[in-house]
Amino acid sequence: MVVQARSKHREAAAAPPRASPQPRRAVGAGEPELELPGGRVLPAAPPSGGRRPGRRGQRPEPAHPSRSLLSRLSAGLRARLGQRPAGGRGRTWTTLLLAAFAGILHWSHITSLFENDRHFSHLSTLEREMAFRTEMGLYYSYFKTIVEAPSFYNGVWMIMNDKLTEYPLVINTLKRFNLYPEVVLASWYRIYTWIMDLFGIQTKICWTVTRGEGLSPIESCEGLGDPACFYVAVIFLLNGLMMALFFIYGTYLSGSRLGGLVTVLCFFFNHGECTRVMWTPPLRESFSYPFLVLQMLLVTHILRATHVYRGSLAALCVSNVFFMLPWQFAQFVLLTQIASLFAVYVVGYIDICKLKKIIYIHMISLALCFILMFGNSMLLTSYYASSLVIIWGILAMRPRLLKVNVSELSSWVIQGCTWLFGTVLLKYLTSKILGIADDAHISNLLTSKFFSYKDFDTLMYTCAAEFDFMEKETPLRYTRTLLLPVVLVVFVAIVRRTISDILCVLSKQRTQIRKHQFDHGELVYHALQLLAYTVLGILIMRLKLFLTPHMCIMASLICSRQLFGWLFCKVHPSTVVFAVLAVMSVQGSANLQDQWNIIGEFSNLPQEELIEWIKFNTKPDAVFAGAMPTMASVKLSALRPIVNHPHYEDAGLRARTKIVYSMYSRKTAEEVKQELFKLRVNYYILEESWCIRRTKPGCSMPEIWDVEDPSNAGKTPLCSILAKDSRPHFTTAFQNRIYKVLEVIKER
């Protein structure tokens, strides 16, 4: 046993290809044309797999369905880089090694930031659990349940028949809270510890840590044998792999490894705007977003490929499922993707056959998630599901639409309006028919962004900084690292090419259109996806976590010869790229240094006192109510039943939370007490700070209640009254400088 004292503390902180005499092929109808020195164009291989003229000794690999997805991606990557197959394998391995290096670098970076911020390796088990605040603690509690259960299957049964989270209800938390990551990680942990114990290998080292300030020493264990350490280690490993995918993505999209370098460095230079995994590892996005990166890479590959193989579609289906299962918000992101792909199809950049296959894969993915989520009705009544059905209907009606004698522009407008209004109407009808109101707050939240609509639930969201509009400083931070200017240059280049193609179509007669599709549909898709993410990020600041990484991907196109071949004929691409990166690094390195300067140590003595008091002074079946973040900690560490929690997406839970938060309204104590009785609450944890804190005007809890309950406006808030004297309806059972536990007096 080694004794170690903690002493850390927080301190100050290519020319465009010439027109070929032959008709252009469909977008994504194969590999792009390769430009040779002098501006000559090397035509792509014919569909029959015939020999490609021009470069000596170069034979395309036969397009055979049995080829693996990895081999096709590698071949496509070599084609994008203009490499000979003979030496292409070595260069592909070089790309993969560089991607692995980027992944290891990111894993090391986020692991160090997390440790520096909280000194996690020296925390006790209780302190580590308290460090997982709000939703994080709720999610981790189910991992803990499975790990500590007599068997894995017993643990899964416990979370599927949970009696602690919404007492007295028994709920299937695996259905409600997207807990498959916790189930998988718990199974891995149990397998890991079983194998290590079988071979007698030590999995953790425990230390006695002195805390000072008159506090008792604690035992702190580190190593993968500790559940919390194992949990965060897997999350950081997954997000390290995500960075490797970003390098491959940037390389594949731009056709140059320099593009992969630009993507990775832009991500690091804007790291605080790209991710928050280093501060909040258990959040759903930490598990889900890496699979979105993989999914978008696969979509790019499918859009670019001549033939869509089953392997590519199967991989897309798996990545869709892995993206949707961990995160309830994934359906909204996929909605923007489907909308972007539909727009790309409407204007002629992908053919109907390819879009149909993508739509079918999304439908299959949605059906699989619906089954795996035990019939979660929010998936069926989502805008995403409605959009898929409407687009499928539009594609099925295309032969009839072509018979209508309307202009091309009118056809686009008809299809766009049909999709928009059809999606909204179908979503409304399915929600009404199935009686689902769980996602009604999303519509209300968006309404409040554009109009003066307010209610209790929308204010609970909009008063939180992460759900407010994007900060005005955010575009300035993008500009200082040169990310925004570079992306604007790329976006303008894509828009100019797109407008030229569209005007070309609109100037033709109806009988001449649609004889071929436009090239480079994947570029148009990425531009539209950027617009969608921009709208989401501006409306809800939290969603800039989609926008910023996508901007890093778009920045890779500064290396694209398709867009900037005219410039690279005059200046070597590496000269341009390294000049841009040099300017980026000025502010980028300062941003990284700011992150590295964050040195702290987690400590929450008032909550530690509260948890210890609950564990030793209340019955195991004592029911608690209070602020959502605190309730997550009570359930996780004290294992007591609670009536409300931070997962706010369920309509029933929102109603419960509203009752619990009436303690911060201006209602009478008798009225609030009666409502708590109905929920069978024994103890209420009152936090006076919630009564007075105000993130912005109109956002203190009493002010929020004034909107919901105007009849009591002007009265003294109940929380202020009970903070001074809890009698006669409650008695004070415990109190420190932050928390006051009120015992609900039973009526005689």
Side-chain angles (χ1 to χ4, degrees), residues 365-427:
S365 305
L366 183 62
L368 289 174
C369 287
F370 179 75
I371 295 170
L372 292 172
M373 293 294 291
F374 303 92
N376 190 320
S377 55
M378 280 187 64
L379 293 174
L380 290 187
T381 60
S382 64
Y383 285 103
Y384 170 55
S386 299
S387 178
L388 289 174
V389 174
I390 295 300
I391 292 177
W392 174 81
I394 293 174
L395 297 182
M397 295 293 292
R398 183 174 182 267
R400 296 186 181 181
L401 182 62
L402 290 176
K403 295 178 181 179
V404 179
N405 188 21
V406 295
S407 66
E408 184 75 4
L409 181 60
S410 299
S411 174
W412 296 353
V413 173
I414 291 172
Q415 293 180 82
C417 291
T418 302
W419 169 79
L420 178 61
F421 294 111
T423 298
V424 174
L425 179 60
L426 183 58
K427 190 265 186 284

Side-chain angles (χ1 to χ4, degrees), residues 90-129:
R91 295 181 182 181
T92 299
W93 278 110
T94 301
T95 301
L96 295 178
L97 288 175
L98 290 173
F101 176 74
I104 293 171
L105 202 63
H106 190 239
W107 166 80
S108 176
H109 180 62
I110 58 181
T111 301
S112 299
L113 291 179
F114 182 72
E115 173 64 20
N116 291 343
D117 179 55
R118 304 189 186 183
H119 210 185
F120 197 72
S121 62
H122 286 59
L123 299 181
S124 67
T125 299
L126 176 58
E127 287 175 317
R128 285 172 179 167
E129 291 177 353

Side-chain angles (χ1 to χ4, degrees), residues 512-531:
Q512 294 178 296
I513 64 173
R514 297 300 180 116
K515 288 186 178 180
H516 63 267
Q517 304 291 326
F518 295 129
D519 295 324
H520 315 308
E522 72 277 6
L523 300 184
V524 181
Y525 157 68
H526 280 84
L528 291 174
Q529 190 69 75
L530 176 66
L531 289 177

Side-chain angles (χ1 to χ4, degrees), residues 647-679:
H647 199 277
Y648 206 60
E649 276 67 36
D650 179 72
L653 189 276
R654 292 197 295 273
R656 281 170 161 256
T657 300
K658 190 174 178 181
I659 292 173
V660 171
Y661 279 24
S662 63
M663 187 68 78
Y664 300 99
S665 70
R666 304 180 195 272
K667 297 180 179 181
T668 64
E670 174 67 23
E671 187 178 355
V672 173
K673 175 185 173 181
Q674 293 302 323
E675 292 296 325
L676 294 176
F677 263 135
K678 294 178 182 178
L679 295 177

Side-chain angles (χ1 to χ4, degrees), residues 683-728:
Y683 296 94
Y684 191 100
I685 301 177
L686 181 68
E687 300 175 52
E688 189 178 3
S689 61
W690 278 65
C691 197
I692 58 178
R693 71 179 182 182
R694 190 185 193 206
T695 56
K696 60 182 180 180
C699 280
S700 68
M701 285 304 303
E703 289 174 318
I704 292 175
W705 269 105
D706 288 343
V707 174
E708 187 69 23
D709 183 25
S711 61
N712 286 315
K715 297 180 181 179
T716 303
L718 177 59
C719 51
S720 298
I721 297 174
L722 295 178
K724 298 175 182 178
D725 187 3
S726 59
R727 296 172 296 179

Side-chain angles (χ1 to χ4, degrees), residues 317-370:
C317 182
V318 171
S319 61
N320 275 354
V321 172
F322 281 16
F323 174 52
M324 282 191 282
L325 274 184
W327 198 11
Q328 68 274 11
F329 189 78
Q331 55 179 290
F332 297 100
V333 178
L334 293 179
L335 170 66
T336 66
Q337 182 180 95
I338 289 300
S340 300
L341 289 172
F342 181 64
V344 170
Y345 154 76
V346 167
V347 296
Y349 281 92
I350 57 176
D351 60 82
I352 186 173
C353 181
K354 186 174 291 187
L355 182 60
K356 274 186 176 181
K357 291 179 180 179
I358 295 175
I359 294 298
Y360 290 151
I361 288 300
H362 275 271
M363 287 180 168
I364 294 172
S365 305
L366 183 62
L368 289 174
C369 287
F370 179 75

Side-chain angles (χ1 to χ4, degrees), residues 211 386 445 464 475 673 730 742:
R211 298 190 290 175
S386 299
L445 177 61
K673 175 185 173 181
F730 304 91
L742 305 178

